[in-house]
Amino acid sequence: MRPGLDQRRFSLNQWTTRHWPLPELAAGCAAAGVTGVGLWREPVAEYGPARTGKLMSDHGLTVTSLCRGGFFQRPGALDDNRRAVEMAAELGAPVLCLVSGGLPDGSRDLDGARARAADVLAELAPYAGERGVRLAIEPLHPMFCSDRCVVSTLAQALDLAAPFPSSQVGVVVDTYHLWWDPDVWTGIARAGARGRVALFQVADWVTPLPEGVLTGRGMLGDGCVELRRFRRAVDAAGYTGPVEAEIFNAELWAMPGPSALELTLSRFAQHVA
Amino acid sequence: MRPGLDQRRFSLNQWTTRHWPLPELAAGCAAAGVTGVGLWREPVAEYGPARTGKLMSDHGLTVTSLCRGGFFQRPGALDDNRRAVEMAAELGAPVLCLVSGGLPDGSRDLDGARARAADVLAELAPYAGERGVRLAIEPLHPMFCSDRCVVSTLAQALDLAAPFPSSQVGVVVDTYHLWWDPDVWTGIARAGARGRVALFQVADWVTPLPEGVLTGRGMLGDGCVELRRFRRAVDAAGYTGPVEAEIFNAELWAMPGPSALELTLSRFAQHVA
């Protein structure tokens, strides 16, 4: 295929083709004309960060992000996040996505968990800055608030980022998590004006949600999200970076990597680019 | 039992004991010292609105709300909502809960669906006002945005209510739907200052969510919501009305009505009152 301008901004987040081994993923992306990939810590750790970086660059691929740090309520969270920063630096990923984590077991202290995220960020941001890695705070859909991410809106993520230089801390705009928010359009404009959009990710919203709700993200175009409106809004806010397709979906995971990528690329052209 | 002051504000929303027939529910509530019930349209229609009203008052029960109108995107929605207002008036329910409905099938026009809710309200509010029924706009958790309710935050509900007299249109504060929202505390204070809190409902948030997510509400105290903080916040905002326990939960529905009520009352005393 011959990628157009927008197509060249496409990046395949590895979790979309979750079971595709890294060497095959790299070859498959190169064959499909894809130029960017977002990677995850577990498979990168297994293959080796520097070796993964070389594998990608050998295939003409830029690593657009590393997923993910965060989970600040866990014991040893700061150390774990420092390791994630180091991995991103070694891999050559410019952005480390942070999912704050939910409430500690048995806790009802939501304000406390949110304050904790701010505290760990204050330690982590300069550490990341020194290593050339930008932290990207990702608000997750409010249905994940108790068990995965106490940062539920773009406005919250921007407030958390505000104390730090924008080169150190930005935010992730993910259509799946933010589509319902009536304030998201003004939030994107504000994020852009402050130079805070570190990453843009796309997935669609479909129902019914599956048990546990984690793997129910929709293929682009299958749901109700105004994906192109989001892409135009981040563009209008001055974002020129990659557009990562990150779709957690059990059906997609059951497909062979090349077919899942082909479907994603075709839907991207149709609904996002 | 001998209800204390707060206990007298307790109201059993019928959907908590969904399969309890109205005559048994009325007798069971009276026996337990409960003084308020929130009812649903389908069982009230079946038993007859005036007859239901008499059944309740014969047992010393006040009807605190009727659930629910709304679903504004459906054909004939305005007529259907007028019927709901009439039922509330005949039943003697002072408040009609409104769940706006989601997106029309195949639509991605979220702004349009929200505007539609405002349009129907403008027709419905004076109609309700003339019949002594107060409309209560209920924001539902954002996970219901596409298929049940495009009103996702208290701030949105307040904006929708703003054009109308507070005697005609208020909002529902439901802990299950709003607990994650970092703006909820200022929202409750604002709602109180404007006299807009029409109803307060309680349920707890528990995970993992079941498939379809509708029936996964938690029994009071089983989850992570600061229930008592909510109760104090609505009180501080000047709300003196009923506190409805509305818990959609498959396990609870499988219990005999009296046991489910007893459990709910005991948890209410422990975690809310």
Side-chain angles (χ1 to χ4, degrees), chain A residues 103 107-108 110-111 114 141-143 145-146 156 179-180 182 205 207 209 211-213 221 223-226 229, chain B residues 103 107-108 110-111 114 141-143 145-146 156 179-180 182 205 207 209 211-213 221 223-226 229:
Chain A
L103 292 165
S107 166
R108 296 187 178 99
L110 185 53
D111 288 349
R114 285 168 170 165
H141 193 283
M143 70 186 175
C145 186
S146 68
Q156 262 185 295
W179 75 277
W180 60 272
W205 179 271
T207 56
L209 293 161
E211 186 182 354
V213 305
C224 61
V225 178
E226 295 177 287
R229 183 180 178 189
Chain B
L103 292 165
S107 167
R108 297 187 177 101
L110 185 53
D111 289 349
R114 286 167 171 166
H141 192 284
M143 70 187 176
C145 186
S146 69
Q156 261 184 297
W179 74 277
W180 60 271
W205 178 271
T207 56
L209 293 162
E211 186 183 353
V213 307
C224 62
V225 179
E226 296 176 287
R229 182 180 180 191

Side-chain angles (χ1 to χ4, degrees), chain A residues 38 41 43 47 53 57 59 72 83 127 140 169 171 210 212 222 239 252:
Chain A
R41 284 169 75 185
Y47 197 79
S57 65
H59 285 84
F72 298 130
R83 299 297 88 78
Y127 190 84
L140 257 53
V169 183
V171 299
D222 280 352
Y239 178 74
L252 202 56

Side-chain angles (χ1 to χ4, degrees), chain B residues 4-15:
Chain B
L5 178 66
D6 280 327
Q7 206 76 347
R8 286 201 299 273
R9 290 176 67 190
F10 175 88
S11 173
L12 176 69
N13 186 286
Q14 175 170 23
W15 234 236

Side-chain angles (χ1 to χ4, degrees), chain A residues 83-164:
Chain A
R83 299 297 88 78
V85 165
E86 290 156 13
M87 178 187 280
E90 200 179 347
L91 172 67
V95 165
L96 174 65
C97 296
L98 297 182
V99 169
S100 74
L103 292 165
D105 276 352
S107 166
R108 296 187 178 99
D109 184 11
L110 185 53
D111 288 349
R114 285 168 170 165
R116 166 93 180 140
D119 290 347
V120 181
L121 265 181
E123 300 279 332
L124 196 63
Y127 190 84
E130 285 162 17
R131 282 150 191 84
V133 174
R134 191 180 191 193
L135 304 177
I137 304 169
E138 180 163 12
L140 257 53
H141 193 283
M143 70 186 175
F144 295 119
C145 186
S146 68
D147 56 359
R148 292 188 174 267
C149 190
V150 293
V151 180
S152 308
T153 65
L154 186 53
Q156 262 185 295
L158 288 170
D159 286 349
L160 276 169
F164 310 102

Side-chain angles (χ1 to χ4, degrees), chain A residues 66-90:
Chain A
L66 180 64
C67 295
R68 59 196 181 184
F71 291 89
F72 298 130
Q73 83 284 7
R74 291 183 185 158
L78 181 58
D79 275 348
D80 178 66
N81 277 282
R82 285 190 177 127
R83 299 297 88 78
V85 165
E86 290 156 13
M87 178 187 280
E90 200 179 347

